[in-house]
Each structure stands twice: as structure tokens, then as C-alpha cells.
Amino acid sequence: MRFDRRAMLGVAAGMVAAPALAQPAWPRQPVRIIVPAAGGGSSDPVARFAAQDFQRRFGQPFVIENRPGASGNVGMMAAARAPNDGHTLLFSWAGPLATNMALYRNLTFHSQRDFDPIARFGAIPNALVVGKNSPAATLADLVAMARANPGGVSYGSTGSGSSMHLAGAMLAAATGTQLTHVPYTSPAAATTDAIAGRLSAMFLGAPGTVPLSRAGEIRVLAVLADKRADVLPDVPTAAEQGYPSVVMGTWFAWLAPKGVPAAVVTALNGAVNEMLDGPGRAWLVQQGLDVADGAAGGSPADLERFLATEIERHAALVRSANITVD
């Protein structure tokens, strides 16, 4: 059954005033939002946008707490161990929530076992780019280069197991080519090398390609999504170019420590869905987020099912590419 985002808004509004929240009221103190990354990344402005909206709705400060480290595992563990009284939330994404479940063998948390889902909050597809002087003008050109020179086409990423690494592994598998992965500690350094031609290609979040493309520094060859990105309407997807299985990016989600009161989950889920249908929707789209139904909002059960599917999909990718970090 299709989840009706708007139909839930009145229910959620009623839940805020329900006895379960009124005795005692929630939130009765500032709410911290753990973001498992350093400030300044792509997740930061989106999380802060939502925090301001929550604060306006619920009358208490919602404070971002950046907890970077170990590819997001430090922040995830801190959130998993936090009290489940509704005054700690988690804003996370595909890497810590799905990829890391397969990438790290000895995690002390699990994104489903230790958290209650609230709602999805949009997705950002990866895009395949090459430097302005690359001989590849299309995805077909790059694939032909890789086939003619096995291992000679390199691509950068932000590290082993990142969505960019998985995108390259997925493209190599789909095209039957051998691509050389070069991990970096930051997307800026990898992008600089791609522009200079020291890398054959690079995978970037679609919004991050826009200023570089407009400046003529890069060419965007494909969007790795099932539909074109709003910020890159003229760039075809990999599927349009013959590779429908090449879909990779990141997505965001709201969760809370396991056992949080159900009324809190309902209130927050309603707030997220109303936010996605409100005036702020245009701002989120401008940031490059896909916030259409199916990519954002929905019920907690929708997010639970999505997480299960993504954990399985990312585990298969990690296994097939033989990616290890520990």
C-alpha cells in the first residue's frame, strides 16, 4: 500500500498533544542530533535545516553534535548507546547505515538492531566525471578506453568502501572492465587530480559537479540513478546509456536509539513528512536532494524495509568487489 505522506500529518499533530507526550511533555529539554561526520560535509547543512524546523515545531533547541571517526562508526556507536527517551536522534546516511554493516567485521552496533527508524530524508546520486582534457566525451568512450587498456583507467574516491568506491566497482562489473581504484582522504584532492588528468575519472555527488561543470573544469558523463538529477537535467543516466544496474549514491535518514517512545517516533515522522511537503522542499531540491515520494518521507516501516534491502545490496557489492578495511 502506498504511504500517503499528507494523510499522516494530522495524525502526527494529534500525537504531539497526546497523553504519552504530555505526561511529561516531550521534548522537555534540548534534543541533540548526532551526525556521524565532521562539520562542513554534505550532510551538515541538511541536518541543520531540519534541526531549525524541529526547533520551531517542538519549542526546544535541536542541537547538532558532529561525531566523526571510523567512517561514521564513532557517531553511530555514540547514538546507539544514548538514552532512548527521545532527546537523542541520529541523522545518518548510506555508508554508516548500510555499507559499514558489511565492511566492518566487529561492529558493536547494528543499524537495525540498535535503532528505531523514523523517516528517510532524500537521496543524492553519484555522477561520473572526467577532466576537461579527457579524451572521453561519453560514458561509452570511457568504457572503450577501459576495455582497450585493462587497469589503465583510474578513478578516485573518498576511501575504501565509500559510495564512490562502490560506484566504480559497480561500473566495472557492469561493463566487464578492470578499473583502478585510487582512494583519497577528501573529495577535493581527488577532484583536483581528476581535473588535472592525474586520474582518468572521478565519482562525485551530483550537486557538487554543477559549479565545476559550469566552469568548464569537468565533463559529467553519467548520473548513477534511475532517473536524471534535477540539478543535471541534460546529463543522461547510466541506465539510458545501456547500464541499468549502475545505480549508486547516498541517501539520508532519521533514526533514534532503540526503544524510543512510539509517540515520539510518530511526532517526528509527521514533522519530517510535513517539512518535505512545505516551503523548505524547494531549498532541499536546490541542495541536490531527491525528495520525491519513495526517496524521502514515508512511514517508519517504509524506512525499516528500505534499510533491510540496502544492507543486503551493499553487502553483495562489498563481497563481489572483495572490499576489506579490517
Side-chain angles (χ1 to χ4, degrees), residues 68-278:
S71 299
N73 292 337
V74 170
M76 292 287 294
M77 186 163 52
R81 293 178 175 177
N84 60 358
D85 59 2
H87 293 94
T88 298
L89 304 178
L90 172 67
F91 184 70
S92 193
W93 49 93
L97 289 169
T99 313
N100 287 7
M101 298 302 101
L103 206 56
Y104 294 87
R105 291 192 295 266
N106 299 309
L107 290 178
T108 58
F109 67 89
H110 191 279
S111 57
Q112 288 190 293
R113 182 189 66 228
D114 296 315
F115 296 97
D116 284 331
I118 295 171
R120 293 177 66 184
F121 205 63
I124 295 178
N126 278 333
L128 173 63
V129 307
V130 296
K132 59 185 177 183
N133 295 319
S134 171
T138 65
L139 175 56
D141 290 341
L142 191 70
V143 171
M145 288 167 54
R147 286 175 175 159
N149 186 15
V153 170
S154 60
Y155 69 95
S157 83
T158 51
S160 295
S162 66
S163 71
M164 299 166 185
H165 185 188
L166 294 180
M170 183 179 288
L171 181 62
T175 59
T177 58
Q178 180 184 341
L179 306 177
T180 298
H181 171 232
V182 183
Y184 286 74
T185 56
S186 75
T191 303
T192 297
D193 280 355
I195 292 172
R198 290 185 288 270
L199 284 174
S200 307
M202 175 67 186
F203 293 94
L204 288 171
T209 69
V210 174
L212 295 171
S213 178
R214 286 176 178 167
E217 297 293 326
I218 61 170
R219 287 198 294 273
V220 188
L221 303 186
V223 171
L224 278 55
D226 55 9
K227 63 179 181 180
R228 295 194 181 194
D230 289 338
V231 293
L232 295 169
D234 297 327
V235 178
T237 65
E240 290 177 78
Q241 300 179 74
Y243 303 105
S245 64
V246 183
V247 176
M248 178 54 62
T250 194
W251 40 262
F252 300 102
W254 291 96
L255 303 96
K258 194 74 173 180
V260 69
V264 173
V265 171
T266 301
L268 287 166
N269 176 268
V272 168
N273 279 285
E274 189 170 346
M275 201 184 307
L276 292 166
D277 280 328

Side-chain angles (χ1 to χ4, degrees), residues 236-326:
T237 65
E240 290 177 78
Q241 300 179 74
Y243 303 105
S245 64
V246 183
V247 176
M248 178 54 62
T250 194
W251 40 262
F252 300 102
W254 291 96
L255 303 96
K258 194 74 173 180
V260 69
V264 173
V265 171
T266 301
L268 287 166
N269 176 268
V272 168
N273 279 285
E274 189 170 346
M275 201 184 307
L276 292 166
D277 280 328
R281 180 187 183 93
W283 183 87
L284 292 168
V285 171
Q286 288 173 359
Q287 306 312 300
L289 267 72
D290 178 3
V291 293
D293 287 345
S299 69
D302 290 334
L303 175 54
E304 185 173 19
R305 287 188 291 269
F306 176 75
L307 269 176
T309 298
E310 283 292 278
I311 288 170
E312 183 177 343
R313 184 172 82 98
H314 284 236
L317 286 170
V318 168
R319 286 194 303 269
S320 65
N322 195 29
I323 300 171
T324 60
V325 295
D326 66 356

